[in-house]
PDB file of all heavy atoms in Angstrom:
ATOM      1  N   ALA A  21    -160.669-191.813-142.309  1.00  0.00           N
ATOM      2  CA  ALA A  21    -162.102-191.989-142.568  1.00  0.00           C
ATOM      3  C   ALA A  21    -162.561-190.990-143.607  1.00  0.00           C
ATOM      4  O   ALA A  21    -161.935-189.952-143.816  1.00  0.00           O
ATOM      5  CB  ALA A  21    -162.897-191.805-141.279  1.00  0.00           C
ATOM      6  N   ASP A  22    -163.665-191.312-144.243  1.00  0.00           N
ATOM      7  CA  ASP A  22    -164.327-190.404-145.150  1.00  0.00           C
ATOM      8  C   ASP A  22    -164.667-189.130-144.375  1.00  0.00           C
ATOM      9  O   ASP A  22    -165.046-189.192-143.201  1.00  0.00           O
ATOM     10  CB  ASP A  22    -165.596-191.103-145.665  1.00  0.00           C
ATOM     11  CG  ASP A  22    -166.174-190.434-146.873  1.00  0.00           C
ATOM     12  OD1 ASP A  22    -165.400-189.972-147.726  1.00  0.00           O
ATOM     13  OD2 ASP A  22    -167.410-190.388-146.965  1.00  0.00           O
ATOM     14  N   PHE A  23    -164.531-187.972-144.998  1.00  0.00           N
ATOM     15  CA  PHE A  23    -164.665-186.711-144.270  1.00  0.00           C
ATOM     16  C   PHE A  23    -165.985-186.561-143.518  1.00  0.00           C
ATOM     17  O   PHE A  23    -165.981-186.176-142.346  1.00  0.00           O
ATOM     18  CB  PHE A  23    -164.429-185.509-145.191  1.00  0.00           C
ATOM     19  CG  PHE A  23    -164.309-184.226-144.417  1.00  0.00           C
ATOM     20  CD1 PHE A  23    -163.099-183.870-143.840  1.00  0.00           C
ATOM     21  CD2 PHE A  23    -165.397-183.396-144.240  1.00  0.00           C
ATOM     22  CE1 PHE A  23    -162.980-182.705-143.095  1.00  0.00           C
ATOM     23  CE2 PHE A  23    -165.293-182.229-143.498  1.00  0.00           C
ATOM     24  CZ  PHE A  23    -164.074-181.876-142.931  1.00  0.00           C
ATOM     25  N   PRO A  24    -167.145-186.831-144.135  1.00  0.00           N
ATOM     26  CA  PRO A  24    -168.389-186.682-143.363  1.00  0.00           C
ATOM     27  C   PRO A  24    -168.443-187.597-142.134  1.00  0.00           C
ATOM     28  O   PRO A  24    -168.965-187.202-141.091  1.00  0.00           O
ATOM     29  CB  PRO A  24    -169.483-187.045-144.365  1.00  0.00           C
ATOM     30  CG  PRO A  24    -168.887-186.733-145.687  1.00  0.00           C
ATOM     31  CD  PRO A  24    -167.424-187.105-145.541  1.00  0.00           C
ATOM     32  N   ILE A  25    -167.873-188.786-142.245  1.00  0.00           N
ATOM     33  CA  ILE A  25    -167.836-189.702-141.103  1.00  0.00           C
ATOM     34  C   ILE A  25    -166.923-189.145-140.021  1.00  0.00           C
ATOM     35  O   ILE A  25    -167.244-189.167-138.829  1.00  0.00           O
ATOM     36  CB  ILE A  25    -167.355-191.109-141.545  1.00  0.00           C
ATOM     37  CG1 ILE A  25    -168.274-191.679-142.630  1.00  0.00           C
ATOM     38  CG2 ILE A  25    -167.229-192.035-140.351  1.00  0.00           C
ATOM     39  CD1 ILE A  25    -169.726-191.810-142.247  1.00  0.00           C
ATOM     40  N   ALA A  26    -165.768-188.633-140.429  1.00  0.00           N
ATOM     41  CA  ALA A  26    -164.843-188.042-139.467  1.00  0.00           C
ATOM     42  C   ALA A  26    -165.471-186.824-138.789  1.00  0.00           C
ATOM     43  O   ALA A  26    -165.369-186.663-137.569  1.00  0.00           O
ATOM     44  CB  ALA A  26    -163.545-187.647-140.169  1.00  0.00           C
ATOM     45  N   ALA A  27    -166.142-185.972-139.563  1.00  0.00           N
ATOM     46  CA  ALA A  27    -166.786-184.791-138.989  1.00  0.00           C
ATOM     47  C   ALA A  27    -167.866-185.195-137.985  1.00  0.00           C
ATOM     48  O   ALA A  27    -168.004-184.586-136.917  1.00  0.00           O
ATOM     49  CB  ALA A  27    -167.391-183.926-140.104  1.00  0.00           C
ATOM     50  N   TYR A  28    -168.622-186.231-138.306  1.00  0.00           N
ATOM     51  CA  TYR A  28    -169.650-186.737-137.400  1.00  0.00           C
ATOM     52  C   TYR A  28    -169.015-187.240-136.103  1.00  0.00           C
ATOM     53  O   TYR A  28    -169.504-186.953-135.010  1.00  0.00           O
ATOM     54  CB  TYR A  28    -170.447-187.850-138.077  1.00  0.00           C
ATOM     55  CG  TYR A  28    -171.510-188.459-137.203  1.00  0.00           C
ATOM     56  CD1 TYR A  28    -172.761-187.885-137.113  1.00  0.00           C
ATOM     57  CD2 TYR A  28    -171.259-189.605-136.462  1.00  0.00           C
ATOM     58  CE1 TYR A  28    -173.745-188.431-136.296  1.00  0.00           C
ATOM     59  CE2 TYR A  28    -172.216-190.162-135.644  1.00  0.00           C
ATOM     60  CZ  TYR A  28    -173.475-189.571-135.570  1.00  0.00           C
ATOM     61  OH  TYR A  28    -174.439-190.105-134.757  1.00  0.00           O
ATOM     62  N   SER A  29    -167.927-187.981-136.224  1.00  0.00           N
ATOM     63  CA  SER A  29    -167.259-188.520-135.043  1.00  0.00           C
ATOM     64  C   SER A  29    -166.751-187.408-134.133  1.00  0.00           C
ATOM     65  O   SER A  29    -166.891-187.476-132.916  1.00  0.00           O
ATOM     66  CB  SER A  29    -166.089-189.422-135.455  1.00  0.00           C
ATOM     67  OG  SER A  29    -166.561-190.547-136.146  1.00  0.00           O
ATOM     68  N   VAL A  30    -166.160-186.381-134.729  1.00  0.00           N
ATOM     69  CA  VAL A  30    -165.655-185.257-133.943  1.00  0.00           C
ATOM     70  C   VAL A  30    -166.810-184.542-133.250  1.00  0.00           C
ATOM     71  O   VAL A  30    -166.754-184.258-132.056  1.00  0.00           O
ATOM     72  CB  VAL A  30    -164.858-184.271-134.829  1.00  0.00           C
ATOM     73  CG1 VAL A  30    -164.564-182.971-134.086  1.00  0.00           C
ATOM     74  CG2 VAL A  30    -163.568-184.919-135.297  1.00  0.00           C
ATOM     75  N   LYS A  31    -167.857-184.275-133.999  1.00  0.00           N
ATOM     76  CA  LYS A  31    -169.000-183.533-133.445  1.00  0.00           C
ATOM     77  C   LYS A  31    -169.661-184.284-132.293  1.00  0.00           C
ATOM     78  O   LYS A  31    -170.159-183.670-131.353  1.00  0.00           O
ATOM     79  CB  LYS A  31    -170.014-183.249-134.538  1.00  0.00           C
ATOM     80  CG  LYS A  31    -171.134-182.320-134.104  1.00  0.00           C
ATOM     81  CD  LYS A  31    -171.885-181.817-135.319  1.00  0.00           C
ATOM     82  CE  LYS A  31    -172.875-180.762-134.968  1.00  0.00           C
ATOM     83  NZ  LYS A  31    -172.299-179.475-134.608  1.00  0.00           N
ATOM     84  N   ASN A  32    -169.647-185.600-132.343  1.00  0.00           N
ATOM     85  CA  ASN A  32    -170.340-186.404-131.336  1.00  0.00           C
ATOM     86  C   ASN A  32    -169.390-187.061-130.337  1.00  0.00           C
ATOM     87  O   ASN A  32    -169.753-188.031-129.687  1.00  0.00           O
ATOM     88  CB  ASN A  32    -171.196-187.467-132.025  1.00  0.00           C
ATOM     89  CG  ASN A  32    -172.377-186.835-132.710  1.00  0.00           C
ATOM     90  OD1 ASN A  32    -173.298-186.381-132.062  1.00  0.00           O
ATOM     91  ND2 ASN A  32    -172.314-186.754-134.028  1.00  0.00           N
ATOM     92  N   SER A  33    -168.191-186.507-130.199  1.00  0.00           N
ATOM     93  CA  SER A  33    -167.218-187.128-129.290  1.00  0.00           C
ATOM     94  C   SER A  33    -167.009-186.291-128.032  1.00  0.00           C
ATOM     95  O   SER A  33    -165.906-186.216-127.516  1.00  0.00           O
ATOM     96  CB  SER A  33    -165.889-187.327-130.008  1.00  0.00           C
ATOM     97  OG  SER A  33    -165.263-186.069-130.253  1.00  0.00           O
ATOM     98  N   GLY A  34    -168.046-185.672-127.558  1.00  0.00           N
ATOM     99  CA  GLY A  34    -167.897-184.873-126.350  1.00  0.00           C
ATOM    100  C   GLY A  34    -167.263-183.527-126.629  1.00  0.00           C
ATOM    101  O   GLY A  34    -166.345-183.117-125.928  1.00  0.00           O
ATOM    102  N   GLY A  35    -167.746-182.867-127.667  1.00  0.00           N
ATOM    103  CA  GLY A  35    -167.235-181.543-127.987  1.00  0.00           C
ATOM    104  C   GLY A  35    -165.838-181.551-128.582  1.00  0.00           C
ATOM    105  O   GLY A  35    -165.091-180.604-128.436  1.00  0.00           O
ATOM    106  N   GLY A  36    -165.470-182.650-129.239  1.00  0.00           N
ATOM    107  CA  GLY A  36    -164.158-182.738-129.863  1.00  0.00           C
ATOM    108  C   GLY A  36    -163.054-183.128-128.892  1.00  0.00           C
ATOM    109  O   GLY A  36    -161.882-183.011-129.203  1.00  0.00           O
ATOM    110  N   LYS A  37    -163.415-183.588-127.722  1.00  0.00           N
ATOM    111  CA  LYS A  37    -162.415-183.967-126.718  1.00  0.00           C
ATOM    112  C   LYS A  37    -161.741-185.297-127.046  1.00  0.00           C
ATOM    113  O   LYS A  37    -160.614-185.530-126.637  1.00  0.00           O
ATOM    114  CB  LYS A  37    -163.058-184.049-125.337  1.00  0.00           C
ATOM    115  CG  LYS A  37    -163.577-182.722-124.839  1.00  0.00           C
ATOM    116  CD  LYS A  37    -164.287-182.884-123.511  1.00  0.00           C
ATOM    117  CE  LYS A  37    -164.963-181.582-123.127  1.00  0.00           C
ATOM    118  NZ  LYS A  37    -165.873-181.748-122.011  1.00  0.00           N
ATOM    119  N   ASN A  38    -162.430-186.160-127.763  1.00  0.00           N
ATOM    120  CA  ASN A  38    -161.886-187.488-128.053  1.00  0.00           C
ATOM    121  C   ASN A  38    -161.291-187.615-129.446  1.00  0.00           C
ATOM    122  O   ASN A  38    -160.408-188.438-129.662  1.00  0.00           O
ATOM    123  CB  ASN A  38    -162.979-188.542-127.883  1.00  0.00           C
ATOM    124  CG  ASN A  38    -163.459-188.632-126.452  1.00  0.00           C
ATOM    125  OD1 ASN A  38    -162.681-188.792-125.535  1.00  0.00           O
ATOM    126  ND2 ASN A  38    -164.757-188.500-126.252  1.00  0.00           N
ATOM    127  N   PHE A  39    -161.785-186.829-130.396  1.00  0.00           N
ATOM    128  CA  PHE A  39    -161.326-186.911-131.775  1.00  0.00           C
ATOM    129  C   PHE A  39    -161.064-185.512-132.308  1.00  0.00           C
ATOM    130  O   PHE A  39    -161.680-184.545-131.870  1.00  0.00           O
ATOM    131  CB  PHE A  39    -162.383-187.558-132.688  1.00  0.00           C
ATOM    132  CG  PHE A  39    -162.754-188.959-132.301  1.00  0.00           C
ATOM    133  CD1 PHE A  39    -163.975-189.232-131.729  1.00  0.00           C
ATOM    134  CD2 PHE A  39    -161.879-190.010-132.536  1.00  0.00           C
ATOM    135  CE1 PHE A  39    -164.336-190.525-131.386  1.00  0.00           C
ATOM    136  CE2 PHE A  39    -162.224-191.307-132.202  1.00  0.00           C
ATOM    137  CZ  PHE A  39    -163.452-191.565-131.628  1.00  0.00           C
ATOM    138  N   GLU A  40    -160.181-185.431-133.281  1.00  0.00           N
ATOM    139  CA  GLU A  40    -159.984-184.182-134.002  1.00  0.00           C
ATOM    140  C   GLU A  40    -159.627-184.506-135.441  1.00  0.00           C
ATOM    141  O   GLU A  40    -159.047-185.555-135.729  1.00  0.00           O
ATOM    142  CB  GLU A  40    -158.901-183.319-133.369  1.00  0.00           C
ATOM    143  CG  GLU A  40    -157.504-183.893-133.455  1.00  0.00           C
ATOM    144  CD  GLU A  40    -156.452-182.972-132.884  1.00  0.00           C
ATOM    145  OE1 GLU A  40    -156.267-181.866-133.428  1.00  0.00           O
ATOM    146  OE2 GLU A  40    -155.829-183.364-131.886  1.00  0.00           O
ATOM    147  N   ILE A  41    -159.987-183.613-136.337  1.00  0.00           N
ATOM    148  CA  ILE A  41    -159.632-183.771-137.748  1.00  0.00           C
ATOM    149  C   ILE A  41    -158.338-183.006-137.962  1.00  0.00           C
ATOM    150  O   ILE A  41    -158.218-181.855-137.559  1.00  0.00           O
ATOM    151  CB  ILE A  41    -160.743-183.220-138.663  1.00  0.00           C
ATOM    152  CG1 ILE A  41    -161.999-184.064-138.506  1.00  0.00           C
ATOM    153  CG2 ILE A  41    -160.274-183.185-140.115  1.00  0.00           C
ATOM    154  CD1 ILE A  41    -163.192-183.559-139.277  1.00  0.00           C
ATOM    155  N   VAL A  42    -157.376-183.668-138.578  1.00  0.00           N
ATOM    156  CA  VAL A  42    -156.117-183.012-138.913  1.00  0.00           C
ATOM    157  C   VAL A  42    -155.961-183.048-140.426  1.00  0.00           C
ATOM    158  O   VAL A  42    -156.333-184.000-141.083  1.00  0.00           O
ATOM    159  CB  VAL A  42    -154.911-183.683-138.216  1.00  0.00           C
ATOM    160  CG1 VAL A  42    -155.004-183.522-136.715  1.00  0.00           C
ATOM    161  CG2 VAL A  42    -154.794-185.146-138.570  1.00  0.00           C
ATOM    162  N   GLY A  43    -155.426-181.997-140.976  1.00  0.00           N
ATOM    163  CA  GLY A  43    -155.260-181.924-142.415  1.00  0.00           C
ATOM    164  C   GLY A  43    -156.527-181.430-143.099  1.00  0.00           C
ATOM    165  O   GLY A  43    -157.559-181.201-142.459  1.00  0.00           O
ATOM    166  N   ASP A  44    -156.424-181.256-144.384  1.00  0.00           N
ATOM    167  CA  ASP A  44    -157.531-180.748-145.182  1.00  0.00           C
ATOM    168  C   ASP A  44    -158.339-181.880-145.791  1.00  0.00           C
ATOM    169  O   ASP A  44    -157.824-182.984-145.994  1.00  0.00           O
ATOM    170  CB  ASP A  44    -157.006-179.862-146.320  1.00  0.00           C
ATOM    171  CG  ASP A  44    -156.303-178.614-145.803  1.00  0.00           C
ATOM    172  OD1 ASP A  44    -156.730-178.090-144.758  1.00  0.00           O
ATOM    173  OD2 ASP A  44    -155.329-178.187-146.446  1.00  0.00           O
ATOM    174  N   GLN A  45    -159.585-181.579-146.102  1.00  0.00           N
ATOM    175  CA  GLN A  45    -160.416-182.546-146.808  1.00  0.00           C
ATOM    176  C   GLN A  45    -159.850-182.712-148.212  1.00  0.00           C
ATOM    177  O   GLN A  45    -159.492-181.740-148.873  1.00  0.00           O
ATOM    178  CB  GLN A  45    -161.853-182.047-146.866  1.00  0.00           C
ATOM    179  CG  GLN A  45    -162.778-182.996-147.569  1.00  0.00           C
ATOM    180  CD  GLN A  45    -164.226-182.524-147.554  1.00  0.00           C
ATOM    181  OE1 GLN A  45    -164.526-181.441-147.085  1.00  0.00           O
ATOM    182  NE2 GLN A  45    -165.097-183.327-148.059  1.00  0.00           N
ATOM    183  N   VAL A  46    -159.753-183.940-148.662  1.00  0.00           N
ATOM    184  CA  VAL A  46    -159.192-184.242-149.973  1.00  0.00           C
ATOM    185  C   VAL A  46    -160.315-184.614-150.927  1.00  0.00           C
ATOM    186  O   VAL A  46    -161.158-185.443-150.615  1.00  0.00           O
ATOM    187  CB  VAL A  46    -158.180-185.412-149.882  1.00  0.00           C
ATOM    188  CG1 VAL A  46    -157.626-185.769-151.241  1.00  0.00           C
ATOM    189  CG2 VAL A  46    -157.067-185.046-148.917  1.00  0.00           C
ATOM    190  N   GLU A  47    -160.323-183.988-152.082  1.00  0.00           N
ATOM    191  CA  GLU A  47    -161.282-184.303-153.135  1.00  0.00           C
ATOM    192  C   GLU A  47    -162.717-184.374-152.633  1.00  0.00           C
ATOM    193  O   GLU A  47    -163.386-185.395-152.752  1.00  0.00           O
ATOM    194  CB  GLU A  47    -160.900-185.602-153.837  1.00  0.00           C
ATOM    195  CG  GLU A  47    -159.600-185.503-154.592  1.00  0.00           C
ATOM    196  CD  GLU A  47    -159.296-186.751-155.396  1.00  0.00           C
ATOM    197  OE1 GLU A  47    -160.231-187.481-155.777  1.00  0.00           O
ATOM    198  OE2 GLU A  47    -158.113-186.986-155.654  1.00  0.00           O
ATOM    199  N   ALA A  48    -163.172-183.274-152.060  1.00  0.00           N
ATOM    200  CA  ALA A  48    -164.570-183.220-151.637  1.00  0.00           C
ATOM    201  C   ALA A  48    -165.453-183.428-152.844  1.00  0.00           C
ATOM    202  O   ALA A  48    -165.212-182.877-153.903  1.00  0.00           O
ATOM    203  CB  ALA A  48    -164.872-181.866-150.994  1.00  0.00           C
ATOM    204  N   GLY A  49    -166.431-184.237-152.691  1.00  0.00           N
ATOM    205  CA  GLY A  49    -167.302-184.495-153.821  1.00  0.00           C
ATOM    206  C   GLY A  49    -168.669-184.908-153.358  1.00  0.00           C
ATOM    207  O   GLY A  49    -168.855-185.282-152.200  1.00  0.00           O
ATOM    208  N   PRO A  50    -169.604-184.808-154.223  1.00  0.00           N
ATOM    209  CA  PRO A  50    -170.956-185.205-153.851  1.00  0.00           C
ATOM    210  C   PRO A  50    -171.073-186.710-153.650  1.00  0.00           C
ATOM    211  O   PRO A  50    -170.279-187.486-154.187  1.00  0.00           O
ATOM    212  CB  PRO A  50    -171.799-184.752-155.046  1.00  0.00           C
ATOM    213  CG  PRO A  50    -170.842-184.676-156.184  1.00  0.00           C
ATOM    214  CD  PRO A  50    -169.502-184.349-155.598  1.00  0.00           C
TER     215      PRO A  50
END
Side-chain angles (χ1 to χ4, degrees):
D22 195 38
F23 191 83
I25 302 302
Y28 178 85
S29 295
V30 169
K31 188 166 188 72
N32 289 288
S33 70
K37 296 176 188 168
N38 296 307
F39 300 108
E40 67 177 297
I41 294 176
V42 295
D44 296 326
Q45 181 177 4
V46 178
E47 294 186 26

